[in-house]
Amino acid sequence: MVNKKVELDQAAKQFLEGLEFINQHPMFAPLAYHAQFVRKEGNLCPEQGWSVVTVNGQIHVHPKKRAESQEWVYILAHCLLHLGFGHFQEKERPDLWNAACDVFVAKFLGDMKLGKPPKDMDAGIDISVKTEDDLYRGFLERGLSGGFYGLGTAGHGCTDMLLKPPKSNYWDRKVNWQECFGKGLAMAVSSAVKVSAGYEAYLGAEKEALTLAQKAKNWFINSYPLIGALAADFKIIEDPILCQRLSISVAAVDAEMKEIYMNPAAGLDEQENRFVMAHEILHVGLRHHARAEGRDPYLWNVACDYVINHWLLEMGLGAFPRVGGLLDPELKGLSAEAIYDRIVTDMRLYRKLATFRGVGLGDIMEPRTPDWWNRKDGISLDEFYRSALSQGLVYHEEQNRGLLPAGLVEEIKALAQPPIPWDVELAKWFDHYFSPIEKIRTYARVSRRQSSTPDIPRPRWIPNAGDEEGRTFGVVLDTSGSMDSKLLAKALGAIASYSISRDVPRVRVLFCDAAVYDQGYMAPEDIVDRVAVKGRGGTIIQPAVDLLESAEDFPTKGPLLIITDGYCDRLTIRREHAFILPKGQYLPFVPRGKVFRI
């Protein structure tokens, strides 16, 4: 006897859970509010059925049937949809009309994937269903096939829509059920938008109060289009234990995983959360993780922090955190690259500064896979970051959401442009050091005489004497075993062509692996020809640099071009220089010079 009571209580619990889900679902809540659910002995539900619905909005549920809560969701939604779709109509064949309506509702719920149909109602509708009237006419012409039996909630041989309830029924309400269903559809669309934006939890999930960080994220999505698109795509992680394990004191961002870590132990209020979250999002949107270009990662992070924090204060976005942050009025208006060049002069001081992650740690998280940025997924993610920030700038300006710092606008617009090819940047490097040689007219060697006037000598244009002196540069080729031969070929071809076009008569060439092989001065035309590359051992470039800097026959202001794959020790270079590297390869030291990536 006790076991039976427990089973009945469990059955009632499952029914009430399903009913609660329906009452909370935005599409069905207006219908359920006006309907009446009857689950007691002697109601109108047939013995073999699950439920029936009356024209006046009563849903009679079998009092003894046991089902899972999701099955009750399906059954109750089926009955409510009969009301919402206006299925209570007088027809010549009520049984076929009810069957057509059951098929239509079953197809609708199947497409929604709402609830779980009981086994005796799970027929699976794989046909194209247009309207109930089309189905009804088809059933009148061809009859009701076996696959369409048993889709109603009243059981086999019974209709689940009662057009004429018993006269003794006291429930008599006049409700515009179609209008209620229309309101439900509008509420469902609005709820779907809020769920996808993270503003509210999806139905059935545990509902918790929004944290201050989540409120800050929702504010960006709803009110600040410049950052809203990027904020919507990032997951906020607020786990104090995980933050402690990762040494995150306030916040950090992972561009690869699209995650922002916010340590709740920092005690930020809502305005401070906005400031810190915008700070982390701008790190990613402005590609600070990819723009390091071989610089020291932490010092580059510090330089970017100074720039972002000044911009956020100018924008009035949130409040500067009380727990700290990097801010220096003397660095206001400078770019991250310019600030970096300043702070590397005193590394010992700046390594003691704290980013939002902590002392000596950058709040731009290191990638979990070293080559993720070079893979296709990294490139596509980079395109998304740049396009989201560029589109956000357009929306921000169109909607007049507030003034933005000129430096921030310039950086966003610059990132929207395609990157300059490496050979174009190399050509600009040549232009900087080797301006065109001024030519003069001279009669010392006359030009070809014209046949019409052979007695008139004409001067020719020649380079001014002495301008070619010192017009050279040094090339250090990394010929170690790890060096790619294709990289050498591309770099040497570009160097030779640019040297010829800019009247560079000779180039000092050195091969270098574990030892230095001085090739002396070579004409650019000879570089294009076959060159017997010596080396293919280890990588030690410093001796080659020292040789050029101490050579008496090399100009004191002659620049250097170093072609390497990046696997070399720290270099000390006291003259202007540049590196040619493979794409994605970074130097393990601060180059302090121009870097071209093939």
Side-chain angles (χ1 to χ4, degrees):
M1 187 69 179
V2 175
N3 292 336
K4 185 176 180 181
K5 184 177 180 181
V6 171
E7 288 182 4
L8 290 176
D9 290 344
Q10 183 65 22
K13 179 182 177 182
Q14 296 290 341
F15 168 76
L16 292 175
E17 287 181 359
L19 179 59
E20 180 66 18
F21 187 94
I22 288 294
N23 286 329
Q24 293 181 3
H25 197 288
M27 183 182 295
F28 297 99
L31 292 170
Y33 177 79
H34 293 92
Q36 182 189 28
F37 298 89
V38 181
R39 186 178 182 270
K40 63 181 181 179
E41 297 284 348
N43 62 18
L44 302 179
C45 182
E47 185 64 27
Q48 72 276 19
W50 293 96
S51 65
V52 293
V53 56
T54 66
V55 68
N56 57 356
Q58 278 190 322
I59 298 177
H60 293 252
V61 181
H62 198 290
K64 297 180 180 179
K65 286 265 189 178
R66 288 187 289 273
E68 299 176 10
S69 59
Q70 286 300 304
E71 291 177 330
W72 282 119
V73 168
Y74 184 91
I75 294 166
L76 298 178
H78 184 106
C79 294
L80 290 173
L81 286 175
H82 279 317
L83 296 169
F85 286 141
H87 288 165
F88 286 89
Q89 303 176 21
E90 296 284 349
K91 296 291 183 178
E92 181 181 356
R93 289 286 303 274
D95 56 336
L96 294 182
W97 170 249
N98 203 138
C101 295
D102 287 337
V103 172
F104 188 83
V105 170
K107 177 66 173 175
F108 184 85
L109 292 175
D111 293 340
M112 276 188 66
K113 295 180 173 53
L114 181 71
K116 175 184 176 183
K119 291 184 179 180
D120 55 354
M121 294 175 59
D122 191 9
I125 306 298
D126 58 355
I127 64 171
S128 177
V129 178
K130 296 182 180 179
T131 64
E132 304 92 322
D133 291 318
D134 292 339
L135 288 169
Y136 176 64
R137 286 192 292 270
F139 293 161
L140 287 175
E141 295 173 1
R142 297 181 296 273
L144 191 62
S145 61
F148 298 128
Y149 281 109
L151 295 179
T153 60
H156 185 71
C158 299
T159 57
D160 56 5
M161 290 191 297
L162 303 182
L163 275 72
K164 296 180 180 180
K167 295 181 180 179
S168 59
N169 197 323
Y170 65 90
W171 182 263
D172 186 15
R173 301 187 67 180
K174 294 181 179 180
V175 179
N176 189 333
W177 299 104
Q178 289 90 336
E179 183 179 344
C180 291
F181 186 56
K183 292 180 180 178
L185 287 174
M187 291 171 58
V189 172
S190 176
S191 176
V193 173
K194 293 179 180 179
V195 169
S196 63
Y199 188 73
E200 64 181 30
Y202 64 90
L203 187 60
E206 296 182 2
K207 294 187 176 180
E208 301 177 353
L210 290 177
T211 64
L212 294 177
Q214 291 168 339
K215 289 181 179 179
K217 174 184 175 180
N218 293 336
W219 182 83
F220 283 118
I221 295 171
N222 298 322
S223 305
Y224 209 78
L226 176 65
I227 303 177
L230 285 173
D233 206 58
F234 271 81
K235 180 181 179 182
I236 306 299
I237 298 179
E238 300 177 86
D239 187 344
I241 298 177
L242 180 60
C243 289
Q244 183 180 5
R245 189 182 308 157
L246 296 175
S247 302
I248 300 174
S249 60
V250 180
V253 63
D254 190 333
E256 177 185 5
M257 303 302 296
K258 294 193 290 187
E259 296 173 342
I260 296 178
Y261 295 86
M262 303 289 289
N263 192 346
L268 304 179
D269 60 27
E270 186 171 352
Q271 293 296 321
E272 291 173 334
N273 271 282
R274 289 183 188 179
F275 187 98
V276 173
M277 191 172 296
H279 177 103
E280 303 301 339
I281 291 173
L282 284 177
H283 269 316
V284 178
L286 296 175
R287 302 179 71 248
H288 286 161
H289 51 286
R291 288 168 53 191
E293 295 289 340
R295 299 178 178 89
D296 181 273
Y298 173 71
L299 296 178
W300 171 249
N301 200 147
V302 169
C304 296
D305 278 6
Y306 279 120
V307 176
I308 291 178
N309 290 340
H310 279 296
W311 284 342
L312 293 177
L313 287 178
E314 288 184 42
M315 296 156 65
L317 192 55
F320 195 82
R322 294 162 293 176
V323 294
L326 298 177
L327 198 65
D328 188 346
E330 295 183 1
L331 302 177
K332 183 177 180 180
L334 298 178
S335 65
E337 288 78 6
I339 295 176
Y340 179 85
D341 290 339
R342 284 196 182 189
I343 65 179
V344 292
T345 59
D346 194 354
M347 294 187 184
R348 186 173 298 178
L349 170 64
Y350 285 97
R351 285 195 181 277
K352 299 178 182 179
L353 299 179
T355 66
F356 284 136
R357 186 177 178 185
V359 178
L361 297 171
D363 57 344
I364 305 174
M365 302 284 287
E366 298 81 9
R368 304 181 187 184
T369 51
D371 63 337
W372 77 280
W373 195 252
N374 303 324
R375 301 197 308 263
K376 186 176 180 180
D377 52 354
I379 296 173
S380 60
L381 191 61
D382 177 56
E383 292 176 354
F384 164 74
Y385 288 149
R386 288 188 286 109
S387 62
L389 198 59
S390 300
Q391 194 65 41
L393 176 62
V394 174
Y395 291 151
H396 193 98
E397 292 176 342
E398 288 179 351
Q399 300 174 16
N400 296 322
R401 292 301 182 96
L403 297 177
L404 297 175
L408 175 60
V409 176
E410 289 177 3
E411 282 207 17
I412 295 175
K413 290 182 177 180
L415 291 174
Q417 302 298 322
I420 300 174
W422 72 276
D423 49 351
V424 176
E425 292 188 345
L426 183 61
K428 293 180 179 179
W429 185 86
F430 271 93
D431 290 337
H432 175 72
Y433 291 106
F434 306 107
S435 57
I437 296 179
E438 183 180 357
K439 293 186 177 182
I440 60 174
R441 301 175 70 181
T442 178
Y443 287 92
R445 183 180 177 185
V446 296
S447 64
R448 183 178 301 171
R449 296 172 181 263
Q450 296 183 4
S451 59
S452 59
T453 56
D455 56 334
I456 301 177
R458 288 177 173 81
R460 67 177 299 175
W461 289 96
I462 63 171
N464 193 11
D467 282 358
E468 293 184 356
E469 295 181 5
R471 195 177 179 84
T472 186
F473 61 96
V475 177
V476 178
L477 301 178
D478 179 2
T479 57
S480 60
S482 61
M483 191 63 181
D484 185 9
S485 59
K486 292 183 179 179
L487 172 66
L488 282 174
K490 283 185 179 180
L492 288 176
I495 290 171
S497 61
Y498 288 142
S499 299
I500 294 172
S501 64
R502 284 156 181 79
D503 299 316
V504 177
R506 292 288 186 271
V507 180
R508 185 70 176 269
V509 180
L510 287 87
F511 298 151
C512 186
D513 59 350
V516 182
Y517 308 95
D518 189 0
Q519 301 299 113
Y521 284 96
M522 299 179 65
E525 296 83 357
D526 297 335
I527 297 178
V528 180
D529 201 358
R530 286 182 173 271
V531 177
V533 176
K534 299 179 181 180
R536 314 309 287 174
T539 304
I540 306 177
I541 296 179
Q542 187 66 54
V545 174
D546 294 340
L547 190 152
L548 278 177
E549 291 186 338
S550 60
E552 296 181 357
D553 59 343
F554 191 70
T556 56
K557 294 185 179 181
L560 301 181
L561 264 179
I562 302 172
I563 308 172
T564 178
D565 57 3
Y567 297 103
C568 55
D569 296 329
R570 182 180 293 274
L571 296 176
T572 302
I573 307 176
R574 293 180 292 273
R575 64 175 67 215
E576 296 292 332
H577 61 279
F579 292 88
I580 298 180
L581 295 174
K583 275 187 178 177
Q585 186 60 52
Y586 293 96
L587 295 170
F589 53 86
V590 183
R592 304 296 300 278
K594 190 68 177 176
V595 177
F596 309 108
R597 301 191 186 280
I598 298 180

